Amino acid sequence: MQPLKSSISNPIAGEARVPGDKSMSHRSLLIGALAIGETVIEGLLEGEDVLCTAAALRALGAGMERGADGAWRVQGVGLGGLREPSTVLDMGNSGTAARLLMGVLASHPLTAFLTGDASLCRRPMARVQVPLEQFGARIVAREGGRMPLAITGAGDPMPIAYRLPVASAQVKSAVLLAGLNTPGRTTAIESQPTRDHTERMLQHFGAEVETTREADGALAVTVTGQPELTGQHVQVPADISSAAFPIVAALIVPGSDITLTAVGMNPRRTGLVDTLVEMGAAVDIRNERDIAGEPVADLHVRAGGLTGIEVPASRAPSMIDEYPILAVAAAVAEGVTVMHGLAELRVKESDRLGAMARGLAACGVRIEEGADSLTVHGCGGPAPGGGSIETDLDHRIAMAFLVLGMASKNPVAIDDAEPIETSFPGFVALMNSLGAVIGPVEAAK
Ligand code: S3P
């Protein structure tokens, strides 16, 4: 446990690059491992979540090493070439690592045992178990489809067409990845568009992926099985979900002015930027370009008065990980912000809806928590602060409340900063280099 405290900040200023995109990092390792030949990855997120994926793929026979130049080199085994691991695969805190790997394993005829930390072992895996069993995989999980679990991949997998019951890129990706080593065409149908990094990266490695629209407007994503995947060069942009924390810090600490470089701007990930701009934020999107099939830009952010708005449920998939930090922006804004369609937040690394509601209330912010909504009554300036927050193994709850402390009259403490390593190694150092005052509980002002 590493308790930390964040105190009211002077204006933050400067230029920074946050670590690589977590979603793309997992996918580059997974798809690289299934390709033939070497994949070179620059800008890989070296957070614990991604390192779990790397360790699991090593145990399955793929080579993966970090070079002295910081680039990662993956020696792929080719589709169908994974070998049975002799030990339990520990997926740590990462739902993405667990669910995407289960997708890959579902069409490889071997048995693997997967476990994770207390947070991951609480999270629902039935949402991937159900479609993966349709391919012919056998999965034995704890009650409610929870980890630890065992999976035996199908020796003779059948392609499926599966309509996702929840808007989840992880479920969509698990289905598409299982479809890779399956003859024929596998389709995942989503009624709300979720992040499409798997589709983009599969195409980058040579797979055929087609997206069409169903009669009811849903998107049907089809992968043609048994493609020739060949090793590629991948450049991972900075993670917009990590950039979200300094972005909101710059908006709520008066006088701030920062630039974040090479941020991934995939339109299915930029819901937070759209929302903040609607609230009145000054965010300039500069130098837009494409890197390895993904849009990237530099973001220039200046402090400015934010006004509460109503955030529609339809926006949730494009900013699903950003609600904790949006709730912090809403707490300092003028007026009321209402966020709808938040049911999925209850099954993230923690119950994020409950955690935000409890934490904001502990910091003197008026909130109303609904079953799948959150209403935040903005303080129109610094929040009272002074709360002690239980982070419950959730990196984004930890970072969100450290940012709230930067714009609060009294310091905000968190019980444990260690989970931040899962997605944003160096978060505290980066924020302090911009001007934040985050430090040990005894020493902070
Ligand atoms: C992710 C998808 C999202 C997100 C997670 C990463 C991914 O989960 O919350 O942090 O990389 O596919 P869901 O797709 O289950 O909502």
Side-chain angles (χ1 to χ4, degrees), residues 22-23 27 96 99-100 127 167-170 173 195 320-321 344 348-349 396:
K22 183 152 69 72
S23 294
R27 287 158 173 82
T96 311
R99 295 189 178 118
L100 270 56
R127 55 180 58 196
S168 167
Q170 293 182 356
S173 300
R195 65 190 70 192
I320 192 66
D321 292 336
E344 275 293 297
K348 293 296 180 187
E349 284 81 332
R396 298 199 202 279

Side-chain angles (χ1 to χ4, degrees), residues 95-398:
T96 311
R99 295 189 178 118
L100 270 56
L101 188 67
M102 286 172 70
V104 169
L105 294 173
S107 55
H108 280 76
L110 52 84
T111 296
F113 295 85
L114 273 63
T115 191
D117 71 4
S119 156
L120 186 54
C121 289
R122 286 194 296 258
R123 297 180 65 185
M125 294 294 144
R127 55 180 58 196
V128 285
Q129 178 174 2
V130 168
L132 297 180
E133 285 179 341
Q134 293 178 15
F135 283 91
R138 282 190 297 131
I139 296 169
V140 181
R142 285 169 54 230
E143 186 269 322
R146 284 171 165 86
M147 293 172 74
L149 56 77
I151 176 166
T152 302
D156 199 4
M158 297 288 289
I160 67 167
Y162 186 72
R163 191 174 268 268
L164 308 187
V166 282
S168 167
Q170 293 182 356
V171 178
K172 173 177 64 175
S173 300
V175 169
L176 295 176
L177 291 170
L180 280 181
N181 198 34
T182 299
R185 286 157 60 81
T186 290
T187 302
I189 303 163
E190 53 181 6
S191 39
Q192 284 182 281
T194 63
R195 65 190 70 192
D196 59 358
H197 304 302
T198 302
E199 295 90 308
R200 287 174 187 252
M201 204 168 290
L202 281 174
Q203 283 172 317
H204 187 58
F205 277 77
E208 200 180 301
V209 181
E210 191 190 9
T211 301
T212 56
R213 210 170 266 287
E214 299 283 280
D216 64 355
L219 293 178
V221 185
T222 299
V223 65
T224 303
Q226 300 176 319
E228 287 274 310
L229 299 175
T230 39
Q232 297 294 327
H233 184 201
V234 179
Q235 279 175 285
V236 180
D239 196 330
I240 188 154
S241 296
S242 296
F245 297 97
I247 289 173
V248 169
L251 289 171
I252 64 175
V253 176
S256 297
D257 184 327
I258 63 164
T259 300
L260 299 171
T261 58
V263 181
M265 293 294 286
N266 181 310
R268 298 203 191 171
R269 296 283 300 280
T270 49
L272 178 73
V273 176
D274 300 339
T275 303
L276 293 171
V277 168
E278 256 180 60
M279 293 173 79
V283 180
D284 289 340
I285 301 170
R286 297 177 171 173
N287 198 9
E288 290 178 74
R289 59 222 188 255
D290 253 47
I291 297 183
E294 289 277 356
V296 169
D298 302 332
L299 301 183
H300 176 221
V301 186
R302 278 161 295 133
L306 298 175
T307 308
I309 59 164
E310 192 124 345
V311 188
S314 57
R315 195 159 307 153
S318 67
M319 55 175 297
I320 192 66
D321 292 336
E322 279 63 81
Y323 284 100
I325 194 63
L326 174 64
V328 167
V332 179
E334 194 76 55
V336 181
T337 298
V338 189
M339 303 163 222
H340 299 280
L342 306 187
E344 275 293 297
L345 293 197
R346 302 253 185 224
V347 291
K348 293 296 180 187
E349 284 81 332
S350 70
D351 167 3
R352 285 187 175 155
L353 182 42
M356 287 315 297
R358 277 193 306 278
L360 289 175
C363 291
V365 180
R366 232 180 90 214
I367 54 97
E368 281 115 40
E369 177 186 353
D372 69 349
S373 67
L374 181 65
T375 301
V376 179
H377 297 262
C379 303
S388 279
I389 310 299
E390 279 181 33
T391 54
D392 201 12
L393 287 177
D394 192 323
H395 52 132
R396 298 199 202 279
I397 296 299

